[in-house]
Amino acid sequence: MATIIRDRGIKDRPALEGVAAAERALELLTCFRTGDKALSLAELAERTGLVKSTIMRLAISLERYNLLVRLHDGRYQLGSGVVRLGTIYQESTDLEQHVMPVLAKLAAETQETATFYVRHGDVRLCLFRVNSSNSLRLDVAPGTQRPMDQAGSAQLLRLFADWPDTNPDLPPLPIYTAGATTPHVASSSVPIIGHGNRLVGALSLAGPEARLTERRGAEVALRLLRSGLELCRALGGDAEAIYRIPIAHAT
């Protein structure tokens, strides 16, 4: 009969559960959406499913940490503490200082909108963007949430989610799609790999399909690949095998 011997020096880790009050407070903060300036108590209750008395108690605690502000008309808006946390996050990753110059250069070279997407749960989030100088263009504001559909950036965020622990079949890059999210809008995308060869996000060019045709996408492909590889290197990633372009062409 086999005997299981347990190391007495190592205690079993107890099953941990979240704190309900903390989860309700976070639910209150995260119910705000892009474009919201202030929400009434009734709107907060509708979005969160929490009763108004609970929301008011949570709001008092959140106000103490400047995460929520109660306006004179009784509505609520996010406080400066949220901005502070966002700033700390960006500074801790140094992501913006690497991404924005690449986006600016890419948008200037191609005259199309350059964007950087990350996955946020079941959606992709536009974290940074530089708009095209053309009057007819795709405007995507930072913070905009887009579906995880068949757009190139969404495909890449799914495909490389567990990279390099898994080895999916790699498609030719960049991935060009048209009308996947918005009718008559096309995009071309590459993955961005950082330290430890982990996925950081997706770099995309987007514009009207009438201008950013599949042929035009092929013409700007090398610029996009070069920009993506430059960003991967800056973030500590080795993406040459993924991008499948000669080093001489990528430098």
Side-chain angles (χ1 to χ4, degrees):
M1 179 177 179
T3 303
I4 299 176
I5 300 176
R6 187 182 299 277
D7 187 343
R8 299 297 181 183
I10 302 176
K11 295 182 179 180
D12 288 339
R13 184 176 180 179
L16 299 177
E17 295 182 356
V19 179
E23 291 179 353
R24 286 194 293 268
L26 292 172
E27 188 173 2
L28 186 59
L29 289 175
T30 56
C31 81
F32 284 82
R33 302 167 186 163
T34 302
D36 287 340
K37 293 185 178 180
L39 297 176
S40 67
L41 188 60
E43 289 173 319
L44 291 172
E46 181 180 358
R47 290 190 183 183
T48 62
L50 300 172
V51 298
K52 294 180 180 179
S53 58
T54 298
I55 292 173
M56 293 176 69
R57 289 196 301 271
L58 292 172
I60 291 172
S61 296
L62 293 172
E63 284 182 85
R64 290 173 183 163
Y65 289 87
N66 294 320
L67 296 174
L68 203 64
V69 175
R70 188 174 186 271
L71 304 178
H72 62 86
D73 61 359
R75 294 183 303 159
Y76 292 88
Q77 68 178 23
L78 294 176
S80 60
V82 175
V83 178
R84 184 181 68 85
L85 291 175
T87 301
I88 292 172
Y89 168 75
Q90 289 192 346
E91 289 178 351
S92 67
T93 60
D94 287 333
L95 192 57
E96 184 176 14
Q97 71 175 15
H98 292 298
V99 174
M100 287 303 293
V102 172
L103 294 184
K105 180 181 178 183
L106 191 57
E109 289 180 346
T110 64
Q111 298 298 298
E112 301 295 355
T113 296
T115 55
F116 185 82
Y117 285 100
V118 296
R119 186 165 185 173
H120 184 66
D122 294 330
V123 298
R124 53 193 163 105
L125 180 71
C126 175
L127 201 57
F128 307 109
R129 69 92 176 84
V130 173
N131 281 332
S132 166
S133 58
N134 285 307
S135 57
L136 182 61
R137 65 192 184 196
L138 176 68
D139 280 348
V140 182
T144 299
Q145 294 182 356
R146 313 285 274 180
M148 289 292 291
D149 51 19
Q150 291 305 307
S153 58
Q155 291 185 46
L156 292 170
L157 291 175
R158 283 194 300 268
L159 185 64
F160 285 88
D162 298 319
W163 180 273
D165 298 328
T166 59
N167 294 293
D169 292 332
L170 301 181
L173 296 176
I175 294 181
Y176 174 90
T177 57
T181 304
T182 305
H184 312 301
V185 171
S187 66
S188 192
S189 306
V190 295
I192 300 301
I193 306 299
H195 181 70
N197 287 334
R198 297 289 180 181
L199 177 70
V200 179
L203 176 65
S204 296
L205 280 175
E209 185 180 358
R211 187 173 65 234
L212 188 58
T213 61
E214 190 168 3
R215 179 176 179 178
R216 173 63 176 157
E219 291 173 354
V220 300
L222 188 55
R223 285 193 177 95
L224 181 56
L225 289 167
R226 285 173 174 168
S227 297
L229 194 55
E230 175 188 345
L231 185 53
C232 289
R233 288 169 173 168
L235 296 174
D238 180 6
E240 289 169 1
I242 298 172
Y243 278 42
R244 297 177 181 173
I245 55 176
I247 296 176
H249 290 173
T251 55

